Amino acid sequence: MKIGITEQKQARCDQTDESMNENYGSRVRFYDRNSLEDMDWPNTGDGRYARAYLEPLMLQGTRGFMINVSTNLLIARIDDLVLPLTVNEAEYENSYVCSPYTHYVRYAKQELILLQKPLLEKGLSALLSVVGWGMRHSQINKVVHVNNWLFSTNLYPAMSGEQAVCLLAAVKERYPEHAVVFRSLCPGLHSDLTEELKQAGCQLIPSRQIYLYQPNDPNFGNAKSRWLLKRDYELLAKHGYEFVSEANLTEEDIPRIAELYKLLYLEKYSYNNPQFSEQFIATAKASGALALYGLRKEGRLDAVMGYFCRNGVMTTPLFGYDTALPQSIGLYRMLSACLIRQARENGHLLHESAGAAQFKRNRGAVPNFEYSAVYERHLPMSRRWCWLLLERLLNRMGVPLMRRMKL
């Protein structure tokens, strides 16, 4: 019976492969830095945003903007959608945004401390070391990421599952020796994409537990969460902070913004996060790629956030505060309350990424899981086994553990 089911699934995937290769035709076009001048950018909000954000990175290279991101950045256009592709060969020291090895081994080892179970941490660390050795030998970083904006969370445009499958086929044909990965897929937000990519033969591999706020939902949170948010916001007046918009952030603030991000996301969390440079922040500010806001007191900027929105969803890849100031001031609480207020005013669902689980739950966030859809069926088994192992281990062990530990 099991063999029969496997054969049926294999036949179904083979048929999907054939239909993908027949149907995508000329709908998908690729552009690198040398052909960028031939790019016909769509005259849409997403098209204008993509151009403002991607052109500088493609023309000047990613390392000047994100110090620990080395990748070949291209653009794929399908219909009126513009999506960035990142192509890698190895680059095992890269940030996790384009290195599966960093995500599933190097970063995962650092996160084990959250379990607060020394024996379990030691055992899992040893397992990760063994698996990591095998991953390097199977070239797990020889990969193309689709829709990779090089942020912790990749927001998706209004893209259909059929368009995603066309992209998959085109990328697979262009890069036949690479695994193809769609990061940051959440079934609650991308049901059509995840289902169509799964039917096309992709493995859905869990990446992290995330938190979603829907502040405009009348059923959002409860009395306690609303009271906590109100109390957090009132801390601004209590401690004399002003919530300032981008118009009040100057060029002189850029080094401080970079420092505040570094203090939180790199020094407190992990240097495996994207290491944004001052050049990145200046470019994002000038182009509008990120909406920047901060908390200022007596002329000094002590906290900052930068968000962007797409297809009704908002996320904050840049977030930081002065960790040297007393925790009792509540900078994180103030900044989070301001972020939720911005989401409410914009009418967006807020994707709060991972981390600070209990804090976010207490304020009404709903946990969900994020996946990477990985297509590896065209590769030899010596390259495939690591993806198949990750899918099995994380779905059977990782997800239940994260649910139980409420990470």
Side-chain angles (χ1 to χ4, degrees):
M1 177 66 73
K2 290 183 179 179
I3 295 175
I5 292 173
T6 301
E7 289 173 346
Q8 290 173 18
K9 183 178 179 181
Q10 181 71 34
R12 202 163 51 239
C13 289
D14 289 341
Q15 291 171 5
T16 303
D17 280 349
E18 292 174 6
S19 63
M20 283 196 299
N21 291 330
E22 291 171 1
N23 295 333
Y24 77 83
S26 60
R27 288 177 65 192
V28 181
R29 296 178 181 271
F30 297 96
Y31 301 88
D32 59 20
R33 62 181 298 176
N34 296 318
S35 59
L36 194 57
E37 61 183 18
D38 300 325
M39 175 76 181
D40 180 22
W41 296 92
N43 188 24
T44 63
D46 283 349
R48 290 186 290 273
Y49 177 90
R51 184 172 192 175
Y53 176 72
L54 296 174
E55 263 193 339
L57 273 70
M58 292 184 69
L59 294 175
Q60 301 175 48
T62 56
R63 291 294 292 270
F65 298 88
M66 301 172 190
I67 297 164
N68 60 340
V69 174
S70 178
T71 189
N72 182 19
L73 181 62
L74 293 87
I75 287 175
R77 175 169 176 173
I78 177 170
D79 304 329
D80 280 337
L81 300 180
V82 174
L83 302 156
L85 305 182
T86 57
V87 184
N88 284 89
E89 305 298 326
E91 297 85 31
Y92 290 103
E93 299 303 314
N94 258 355
S95 167
Y96 72 89
V97 296
C98 57
S99 169
Y101 177 83
T102 298
H103 183 105
Y104 290 109
V105 179
R106 293 173 58 217
Y107 206 148
K109 279 189 174 184
Q110 294 179 349
E111 294 280 276
L112 291 176
I113 194 172
L114 297 176
L115 298 174
Q116 298 183 343
K117 295 182 181 294
L119 288 178
L120 182 58
E121 292 170 29
K122 190 174 181 179
L124 289 175
S125 181
L127 175 62
L128 284 171
S129 294
V130 173
V131 172
W133 178 86
M135 286 179 172
R136 290 178 72 116
H137 281 267
S138 66
Q139 299 177 280
I140 193 171
N141 272 13
K142 194 176 181 70
V143 63
V144 179
H145 283 96
V146 181
N147 192 49
N148 191 7
W149 298 85
L150 301 174
F151 290 144
S152 54
T153 301
N154 291 315
L155 297 184
Y156 281 78
M159 181 169 66
S160 69
E162 182 263 347
Q163 288 172 316
V165 172
C166 284
L167 278 164
L168 171 60
V171 173
K172 184 188 70 168
E173 181 171 292
R174 185 179 175 97
Y175 297 98
E177 297 182 356
H178 289 66
V180 184
V181 179
F182 292 72
R183 282 181 57 234
S184 305
L185 287 171
C186 174
L189 299 177
H190 314 109
S191 57
D192 183 38
L193 296 183
T194 52
E195 184 58 33
E196 289 293 326
L197 288 170
K198 186 177 179 181
Q199 289 297 319
C202 288
Q203 304 281 343
L204 292 183
I205 300 179
S207 55
R208 57 183 183 162
Q209 186 161 239
I210 59 163
Y211 292 88
L212 304 175
Y213 288 100
Q214 184 56 278
N216 291 306
D217 186 335
N219 297 317
F220 168 71
N222 53 34
K224 180 182 178 181
S225 66
R226 289 189 288 272
W227 175 78
L228 284 172
L229 286 170
K230 182 174 181 292
R231 187 189 66 174
D232 293 346
Y233 196 81
E234 289 172 349
L235 289 174
L236 275 78
K238 178 180 178 181
H239 293 290
Y241 278 97
E242 178 188 5
F243 182 58
V244 295
S245 67
E246 191 169 51
N248 302 109
L249 295 173
T250 68
E251 297 296 317
E252 289 71 30
D253 288 316
I254 288 174
R256 178 62 168 169
I257 293 171
E259 179 188 20
L260 293 173
Y261 173 80
K262 179 181 178 181
L263 288 172
L264 181 65
Y265 259 73
L266 304 184
E267 294 187 359
K268 184 174 181 179
Y269 293 152
S270 174
Y271 274 86
N272 291 315
N273 284 308
Q275 297 173 22
F276 298 139
S277 68
E278 291 182 22
Q279 182 183 1
F280 168 81
I281 293 165
T283 303
K285 182 179 186 300
S287 67
L290 292 179
L292 296 170
Y293 290 81
L295 299 180
R296 198 188 294 278
K297 179 179 180 180
E298 298 174 352
R300 186 186 68 246
L301 193 66
D302 285 342
V304 67
M305 65 182 184
Y307 66 80
F308 72 106
C309 309
R310 180 167 291 113
N311 197 25
V313 182
M314 171 176 156
T315 194
T316 319
L318 192 152
F319 200 88
Y321 61 88
D322 192 336
T323 55
L325 293 175
Q327 192 173 357
S328 58
I329 294 176
L331 283 169
Y332 181 81
R333 291 156 58 192
M334 285 186 259
L335 200 59
S336 296
C338 290
L339 177 62
I340 293 173
R341 179 165 291 201
Q342 287 295 112
R344 182 180 294 115
E345 291 177 357
N346 292 340
H348 287 97
L349 180 148
L350 177 59
H351 189 307
E352 269 274 276
S353 196
Q358 195 57 53
F359 177 91
K360 293 170 184 176
R361 288 173 185 266
N362 287 344
R363 284 151 182 79
V366 177
N368 214 313
F369 275 91
E370 200 171 73
Y371 295 81
S372 288
V374 180
Y375 190 88
E376 36 60 44
R377 296 181 58 254
H378 58 303
L379 302 176
M381 187 54 71
S382 60
R383 298 274 315 284
R384 296 180 62 196
W385 72 265
C386 58
W387 295 110
L388 299 174
L389 178 65
L390 276 174
E391 190 278 331
R392 184 158 296 190
L393 282 177
L394 292 174
N395 276 306
R396 296 187 180 185
M397 296 174 56
V399 169
L401 180 63
M402 284 188 282
R403 282 201 175 109
R404 188 164 63 250
M405 301 294 294
K406 295 184 178 181
L407 296 178

